[in-house]
Amino acid sequence: MADLVAVFTSIGLSEQKAKETLKNESLSSLLKEAITVAQGALGDTCVDKATGCLLYSMASRLKDPRRLAFLAELIARRRITTELQVTAALDFVKSHPQDPINQQEFDQACGVGVVITPEQIEDVVEVTIRKYKNQLLEERYRFNMGLLMGEARAALKWADGKILKNEVDMQVLHLLGPKTEADLEKKPKVPKQKGPENEKKEEMAVNGTVKSEGKSLMEQLRGESLKFHKPGENYKTEGYVVTANTMRLLKEHLELTGGQVRTRFPPEPNGILHIGHAKAINFNFGYAKANNGICFLRYDDTNPEKEEEKYFTAIREMVEWLGYKPYAVTHASDNFQKLYSLAIELIRRGHAYVCHQRGEELKGHNPPPSPWRDRPVEESLLLFERMKKGMFAEGEATLRMKMVMEDGKMDPVAYRIKYTAHHRTGDEWCIYPTYDYTHCLCDSIEHITHSLCTKEFQARRSSYFWLCNALDVYCPVQWEYGRLNLTYTVVSKRKIIKLVETGVVRDWDDPRLFTLTALRRRGFPSEAINNFCARVGVTVAQTTTEPHLLEACVRDVLNESAPRVMAVLEPLKVTITNMPETTQVEVCVPDFPANEERGSHIIPFTRTIYIEQSDFREVMEKGYKRLTPDQPVGLRHAGYVISVQRVIKDASGKVVELEVSCTSSDVAEKPKAFIQWVSMPLQCEVRLYERLFLHRNPEDTAEVPGGFLSDINPNSLQVIDSALVDRSVTGSKVFDKFQFERIGYFSVDPDSTDEKPVFNRTVTLKEDPGKI
């Protein structure tokens, strides 16, 4: 190690930098090799500091070690002499991964051998300053000097940046003279004009696209924003493996796709999509949409034991509910014959073998290697054919690939035996491909450009590239992003099934769950879910978010879209004594009081009305502004103020009715509050939902030692059988949404009947301050 420190310091690195470099084994190896190549090129001449710095810069940024000797020699022979040329050289070899390199093209792209004289620099700077002379004399040192540098740099691409800047500074000084006190004064800041779009900093819906911290989801996904590769430039991605056939396959890919972005959303049809999938849907479909591409909905239907038709239907329904239309709906099973043929080819190439180790033998951190790994190719071909013909029992034989995954897993299974009929292919197959085998090949078959996966699939990226290259088929690029998780819930299919089986929830669409069908049933608008995904953003890190952030997005959308109606959950009868029994007045209620032009509805006002029990108190308390025997209250939209004349109670002393008098609000003193009311109402059932779990992380045994089933909130559902709502909701359809004034946002539940509607509370009007 001491010897290497000496080698590294000999080329100009400080001792501290040399020791830091040694900690990086890969960089140390590359730098040592680069120095060896340079010394070989220079002979007896030592590597000076300038050359050493360029060698270090090249070695620390080089992605393809095959090019190290080529670049190191050019640096040593002073054909590459600046950082700018090093950067250009690295870009060139990255975009030209195949041999041989065209030396003439390389030299031209990297300025190899180009010499910029001081006289050239002086002349170009002089011309540039002459162009802006009047502006310079007027603005002096407040002039944007970067403009001068930019134009001079454009004229002399390969000039040394420091020399160029020194010349600019010197000629500006010669023109303007030294800085005066006026030049040194700070330039006053001009206040930015606030436009209508940035008056509100929080998210706003604009033409259906939601802004999140200044960027919409489409803006987050468009073009260069994610630093993804361009179609056909897969080889520029770090870790992408280039073979002798790569450039030919990419050329064929571009001819077929026309350079179009292609993504896919590939769910397993063995459960219902949840809030985490909403991010995946928005990312995959959104990235394609933002870049004028297409997105496939591909069912990963390779496990017939767990797949049901209802899941296929529900998945597509939820994708379309979120506002996305697949370019095509495909299935992994569409490619079963093609995948089988590729498996045979994999065996022929010596990359796969039939193994008889049992599943239990393959479990654990370090299972023993297969004794059948080196069996002859012809033998594996014969045995694989027998697997297909059903001549082995389940678990008796598998097809395994000869490769090691990034997590250390050795020889993953490509095919296993399952004597279960497939929902699409019936009994045609008894061997089924695994995810590790199917996923990348289906991506290749569909010519996917960006295979977007959650972070846990990062360990499979090398196997993804390996399998495509082992078969010499087009190889897409896998990109990973962070999962979206919510607190106070579980989304695991196994755990949701447990909740259903134990009767904690009714089904996958129980509104207390965070499956997409449950959120829709609760009344969450699809726009709000998409807005939430935009607010969370596209991040590589895993995101764990509180439910109230999602609920805030829901309120934003419903505030603009849900018409207002009046309802009372716990009715108290009120009789207006100074109104004739036959009185029936039509009251016009605006659907959106803040913008009455958006429509209204008519409700009756009669001698008998109903108010909330909580809007009356027999004993006046400090700060209470609603109805008491000594305090009148206004009726919303009716134009009346009521005052208590008599309180009627039942035998137990409970208030069951109020007799009041009413006065027109035009003549009455303005009351302290106005309350909602209903007259001649519809009876309805209302379901009030709270969090299903008591703790933030119900699956964490450190937080909930008894397991998630022991953490159920006993008050997560409250059913009110005899709530009352005004008749304007008559004829509303399932999932129609309303704001019950002063109460919250509600949605029509599928359990509704013509005789009795059922409403689910979506969210309260304001966030509960008790929720964090």
Side-chain angles (χ1 to χ4, degrees):
M1 184 178 289
D3 292 342
L4 272 182
V5 170
V7 170
F8 292 165
T9 55
S10 73
I11 66 166
L13 267 65
S14 67
E15 186 174 344
Q16 182 181 354
K17 187 72 172 178
K19 289 179 178 178
E20 285 178 5
T21 302
L22 280 175
K23 294 176 183 178
N24 186 328
E25 188 176 336
S26 174
L27 175 57
S28 299
S29 175
L30 288 174
L31 183 57
K32 181 184 175 184
E33 185 181 344
I35 294 169
T36 303
V37 170
Q39 288 173 336
L42 292 172
D44 296 334
T45 309
C46 294
V47 177
D48 60 23
K49 184 174 181 179
T51 301
C53 288
L54 293 178
L55 289 173
Y56 180 85
S57 175
M58 179 271 293
S60 63
R61 293 188 285 157
L62 183 65
K63 302 299 182 187
D64 185 356
R66 295 178 306 144
R67 305 302 186 194
L68 184 133
F70 171 73
L71 296 176
E73 185 170 342
L74 286 170
I75 292 171
R77 295 187 184 282
R78 299 188 184 280
R79 303 280 288 163
I80 291 176
T81 58
T82 66
E83 276 289 343
L84 196 64
Q85 289 178 310
V86 170
T87 299
L90 290 170
D91 287 342
F92 187 92
V93 297
K94 185 178 181 181
S95 59
H96 295 75
Q98 287 193 300
D99 290 324
I101 283 180
N102 185 311
Q103 189 69 51
Q104 187 176 352
E105 287 183 10
F106 177 86
D107 291 353
Q108 187 175 355
C110 306
V112 173
V114 175
V115 177
I116 305 294
T117 65
E119 290 76 20
Q120 284 178 289
I121 293 175
E122 183 179 346
D123 290 345
V124 166
V125 172
E126 188 176 328
V127 170
T128 305
I129 286 182
R130 193 182 305 132
K131 178 180 176 181
Y132 292 100
K133 182 178 179 181
N134 292 337
Q135 201 173 343
L136 273 163
L137 290 171
E138 182 182 347
E139 299 182 23
R140 292 184 58 78
Y141 287 99
R142 288 197 176 98
F143 179 82
N144 179 11
M145 301 299 173
L147 193 61
L148 303 178
M149 280 294 296
E151 291 211 10
R153 168 68 76 197
L156 297 173
K157 182 178 179 181
W158 304 113
D160 183 281
K162 289 182 179 179
I163 296 175
L164 192 63
K165 186 177 186 307
N166 288 339
E167 183 64 28
V168 169
D169 290 344
M170 187 181 72
Q171 290 200 31
V172 168
L173 180 65
H174 179 73
L175 176 67
L176 303 179
K179 288 184 178 180
T180 64
E181 287 188 15
D183 293 325
L184 295 172
E185 288 179 6
K186 286 187 177 180
K187 190 175 181 179
K189 289 185 178 180
V190 180
K192 290 183 179 179
Q193 294 295 320
K194 283 191 175 183
E197 287 188 10
N198 55 19
E199 284 178 356
K200 280 181 85 176
K201 286 191 175 180
E202 60 257 18
E203 297 183 353
M204 297 175 63
V206 182
N207 295 329
T209 302
V210 173
K211 300 256 177 175
S212 175
E213 296 179 352
K215 279 194 174 184
S216 71
L217 181 64
M218 292 298 109
E219 288 169 336
Q220 291 180 58
L221 298 174
R222 189 173 292 125
E224 302 288 330
S225 55
L226 291 177
K227 308 301 180 187
F228 285 171
H229 69 283
K230 294 178 181 177
E233 296 184 355
N234 305 28
Y235 54 85
K236 291 188 176 181
T237 306
E238 186 173 351
Y240 190 83
V241 179
V242 177
T243 71
N245 292 314
T246 294
M247 301 312 288
R248 174 183 61 81
L249 290 167
L250 287 175
K251 183 181 178 183
E252 292 171 359
H253 160 74
L254 282 175
E255 288 172 355
L256 188 146
T257 64
Q260 183 182 48
V261 166
R262 290 184 163 207
T263 62
R264 81 290 168 271
F265 174 58
E268 296 177 70
N270 60 3
I272 299 295
L273 302 182
H274 55 71
I275 187 65
H277 290 113
K279 179 179 178 180
I281 292 169
N282 271 279
F283 195 7
N284 280 283
F285 282 92
Y287 183 71
K289 182 179 179 181
N291 295 283
N292 301 312
I294 59 175
C295 182
F296 294 79
L297 170 58
R298 184 205 307 147
Y299 294 109
D300 182 18
D301 58 343
T302 57
N303 189 354
E305 292 175 331
K306 297 181 178 180
E307 294 155 4
E308 294 183 41
E309 184 58 38
K310 68 177 182 179
Y311 297 137
F312 286 85
T313 304
I315 287 170
R316 181 167 185 175
E317 192 177 328
M318 287 300 98
V319 168
E320 294 179 348
W321 176 63
L322 288 176
Y324 295 107
K325 183 174 177 59
Y327 169 74
V329 177
T330 61
H331 303 74
S333 57
D334 296 338
N335 302 306
F336 275 176
Q337 184 58 52
K338 173 88 171 172
L339 294 170
Y340 175 73
S341 299
L342 288 170
I344 291 174
E345 181 62 23
L346 199 66
I347 298 171
R348 284 189 177 133
R349 294 182 177 217
H351 297 310
Y353 62 96
V354 172
C355 175
H356 302 289
Q357 283 179 298
R358 296 282 178 174
E360 52 271 19
E361 295 178 68
L362 301 178
K363 292 179 180 177
H365 181 64
N366 193 21
S370 171
W372 292 279
R373 195 173 200 268
D374 297 319
R375 75 187 328 160
V377 167
E378 292 303 321
E379 190 176 312
S380 282
L381 285 171
L382 179 63
L383 291 170
F384 189 50
E385 178 69 15
R386 288 181 179 177
M387 284 173 61
K388 179 178 181 287
K389 290 181 177 177
M391 299 172 69
F392 289 103
E394 286 193 15
E396 196 175 347
T398 58
L399 181 70
R400 295 176 67 182
M401 297 176 281
K402 290 183 181 179
M403 53 88 65
V404 180
M405 300 178 74
E406 289 182 26
D407 60 1
K409 183 181 177 183
M410 188 171 182
D411 295 357
V413 172
Y415 270 87
R416 72 281 202 212
I417 299 167
K418 286 183 180 290
Y419 291 108
T420 304
H422 191 274
H423 74 287
R424 296 184 76 237
T425 60
D427 294 324
E428 182 181 352
W429 297 89
C430 64
I431 56 171
Y432 293 98
T434 61
Y435 176 90
D436 289 325
Y437 178 77
T438 307
H439 181 63
C440 61
L441 294 180
C442 283
D443 281 353
S444 176
I445 291 166
E446 293 177 353
H447 281 269
I448 300 303
T449 57
H450 299 76
S451 180
L452 307 176
C453 306
T454 46
K455 195 72 175 172
E456 66 264 31
F457 291 99
Q458 187 168 2
R460 289 177 160 103
R461 188 197 280 196
S462 61
S463 63
Y464 185 107
F465 294 157
W466 176 88
L467 183 53
C468 290
N469 291 329
L471 288 165
D472 280 325
V473 297
Y474 161 71
C475 182
V477 179
Q478 176 175 304
W479 292 95
E480 300 87 15
Y481 59 91
R483 285 174 64 100
L484 169 61
N485 296 319
L486 278 184
T487 54
Y488 294 99
T489 191
V490 297
V491 293
S492 154
K493 295 167 187 172
R494 181 177 57 82
K495 288 176 180 172
I496 291 176
I497 288 171
K498 202 76 175 172
L499 291 170
V500 174
E501 289 176 347
T502 55
V504 173
V505 297
R506 292 172 60 184
D507 208 336
W508 290 82
D509 66 347
D510 188 296
R512 290 167 291 179
L513 296 173
F514 279 84
T515 60
L516 294 183
T517 50
L519 295 177
R520 179 179 65 170
R521 183 168 187 171
R522 184 161 171 171
F524 281 36
S526 56
E527 307 97 291
I529 294 173
N530 292 341
N531 296 355
F532 174 65
C533 292
R535 182 181 289 186
V536 169
V538 181
T539 57
V540 176
Q542 181 168 297
T543 307
T544 300
T545 308
E546 303 290 341
H548 72 83
L549 296 177
L550 172 58
E551 291 170 0
C553 293
V554 172
R555 288 188 188 92
D556 288 345
V557 172
L558 292 180
N559 185 50
E560 295 296 321
S561 61
R564 278 53 168 171
V565 299
M566 292 195 288
V568 292
L569 304 189
E570 296 178 319
L572 174 60
K573 184 179 179 181
V574 175
T575 302
I576 304 172
T577 57
N578 62 335
M579 183 174 281
E581 291 188 12
T582 57
T583 299
Q584 182 172 324
V585 179
E586 287 188 345
V587 174
C588 182
V589 178
D591 294 334
F592 297 90
N595 184 0
E596 296 189 9
E597 293 180 359
R598 294 183 64 185
S600 61
H601 57 275
I602 302 296
I603 60 172
F605 181 75
T606 66
R607 175 184 170 89
T608 302
I609 64 172
Y610 297 87
I611 66 171
E612 285 285 359
Q613 291 180 16
S614 59
D615 283 339
F616 170 74
R617 288 188 185 173
E618 195 171 7
V619 178
M620 180 69 175
E621 294 179 13
K622 186 178 180 181
Y624 187 76
K625 296 181 179 181
R626 286 160 283 166
L627 188 61
T628 71
D630 301 314
Q631 179 171 273
V633 74
L635 299 178
R636 288 180 66 79
H637 310 297
Y640 290 107
V641 176
I642 58 173
S643 303
V644 175
Q645 303 297 316
R646 180 182 170 214
V647 177
I648 301 171
K649 302 180 181 179
D650 63 12
S652 64
K654 179 184 177 182
V655 176
V656 293
E657 184 181 351
L658 300 176
E659 289 184 350
V660 303
S661 61
C662 75
T663 308
S664 171
S665 55
D666 293 335
V667 297
E669 185 179 339
K670 186 178 178 179
K672 292 182 178 180
F674 287 83
I675 61 174
Q676 85 273 18
W677 53 274
V678 292
S679 181
M680 300 176 65
L682 288 175
Q683 186 172 335
C684 63
E685 178 181 311
V686 169
R687 298 169 183 172
L688 305 178
Y689 298 99
E690 298 291 344
R691 288 173 179 160
L692 183 58
F693 296 98
L694 297 169
H695 291 83
R696 293 181 78 253
N697 302 296
E699 297 172 278
D700 185 349
T701 52
E703 197 171 330
V704 186
F708 74 100
L709 286 176
S710 69
D711 196 44
I712 304 301
N713 176 7
N715 301 313
S716 62
L717 171 62
Q718 178 188 355
V719 178
I720 300 173
D721 288 318
S722 301
L724 301 176
V725 63
D726 75 47
R727 290 189 170 273
S728 66
V729 302
T730 303
S732 54
K733 301 185 294 293
V734 171
F735 303 136
D736 279 354
K737 298 160 184 62
F738 301 94
Q739 185 196 103
F740 289 1
E741 294 199 39
R742 298 182 61 236
I743 301 174
Y745 294 102
F746 291 77
S747 177
V748 180
D749 188 83
D751 289 343
S752 297
T753 64
D754 292 340
E755 293 74 31
K756 188 174 185 180
V758 178
F759 291 93
N760 294 318
R761 184 174 67 189
T762 306
V763 288
T764 55
L765 289 180
K766 295 181 180 179
E767 182 186 331
D768 184 346
K771 294 180 181 179
I772 59 170

